[in-house]
Amino acid sequence: ALPIWPRVTVAALNVLAAFFEWVATIHITEDNGQLLQMLCFFLCQPELQLEAAQCLSNAIIRKGGQTQKKPMMMLFEDFPMESILSAAQTMDEKLTSKQYLFHSRLCQVTCELGSLLCKCVDSEIDFRTLVNFPRYLSILLKFTAHPCLLLRLPTPSTWRALLNHK
């Protein structure tokens, strides 16, 4: 059994994931995205990574137009991209069921980031945030090349969207 602090944190992350479905984007991204950065940090914490990936997924897939999604582009900054890449690099060919669940959610987050990029690149974004685009592509490629068909299944549509985007 886990000590009390990870269980409390897991419970808090589950509540946060539910809040992300309806709370205003400004609350998710305020204070220079500290909440998103904390979730990215949790991606490398085995006790918390599954719930952190779910929170990130819920934050990215929120309904809304470019103006509401644009602040989420901060996930393309250095620390979030490095955290996602580090978490993806822990993926082995043989995964336990918990590792598989986490990596499938992380793949979902990665693909959703591609959709976010395609939606927001037309708006007036700060192109310095795209400095990490090669890092993002290496994460996407890592999932695409994984031997598990179910892990790589969502990636072709993301590649197609990125390659066809004008």
Side-chain angles (χ1 to χ4, degrees):
L2 290 174
I4 190 73
W5 74 265
R7 289 185 294 182
V8 171
T9 308
V10 164
L13 288 172
N14 286 329
V15 170
L16 199 56
F19 283 147
F20 279 175
E21 294 177 7
W22 58 268
V23 73
T25 307
I26 192 161
H27 299 299
I28 298 171
T29 59
E30 69 185 355
D31 294 329
N32 250 0
Q34 278 188 318
L35 182 57
L36 293 173
Q37 289 185 25
M38 181 179 57
L39 291 172
C40 290
F41 172 76
F42 287 159
L43 290 175
C44 295
Q45 308 299 315
E47 307 91 3
L48 307 172
Q49 61 189 179
L50 185 63
E51 290 77 13
Q54 186 62 50
C55 283
L56 284 171
S57 177
N58 287 5
I60 298 167
I61 64 170
R62 298 171 43 80
K63 292 186 179 4
Q66 280 183 339
T67 55
Q68 292 174 328
K69 291 194 172 275
K70 185 176 157 183
M72 299 302 291
M73 288 295 291
M74 67 178 47
L75 288 169
F76 281 91
E77 292 176 0
D78 290 334
F79 181 75
M81 273 292 119
E82 185 58 41
S83 299
I84 295 169
L85 179 60
S86 294
Q89 288 175 334
T90 65
M91 186 169 44
D92 295 325
E93 285 189 26
K94 294 183 180 182
L95 300 170
T96 66
S97 61
K98 185 176 180 183
Q99 290 171 328
Y100 170 77
L101 272 174
F102 166 65
H103 287 291
S104 71
R105 286 202 186 141
L106 191 62
C107 181
Q108 181 181 4
V109 166
T110 303
C111 291
E112 290 161 355
L113 282 171
S115 296
L116 176 71
L117 184 61
C118 288
K119 287 177 184 159
C120 292
V121 81
D122 291 336
S123 65
E124 297 174 17
I125 63 168
D126 183 357
F127 284 96
R128 288 178 295 156
T129 61
L130 298 180
V131 168
N132 286 309
F133 188 62
R135 190 177 285 169
Y136 168 76
L137 291 178
S138 69
I139 298 166
L140 187 60
L141 184 59
K142 183 134 182 84
F143 284 109
T144 304
H146 196 273
C148 177
L149 177 62
L150 293 175
L151 272 180
R152 67 178 185 238
L153 190 62
T155 61
S157 59
T158 303
W159 284 110
R160 187 173 36 260
L162 290 171
L163 294 171
N164 289 334
H165 190 68
K166 302 199 183 334

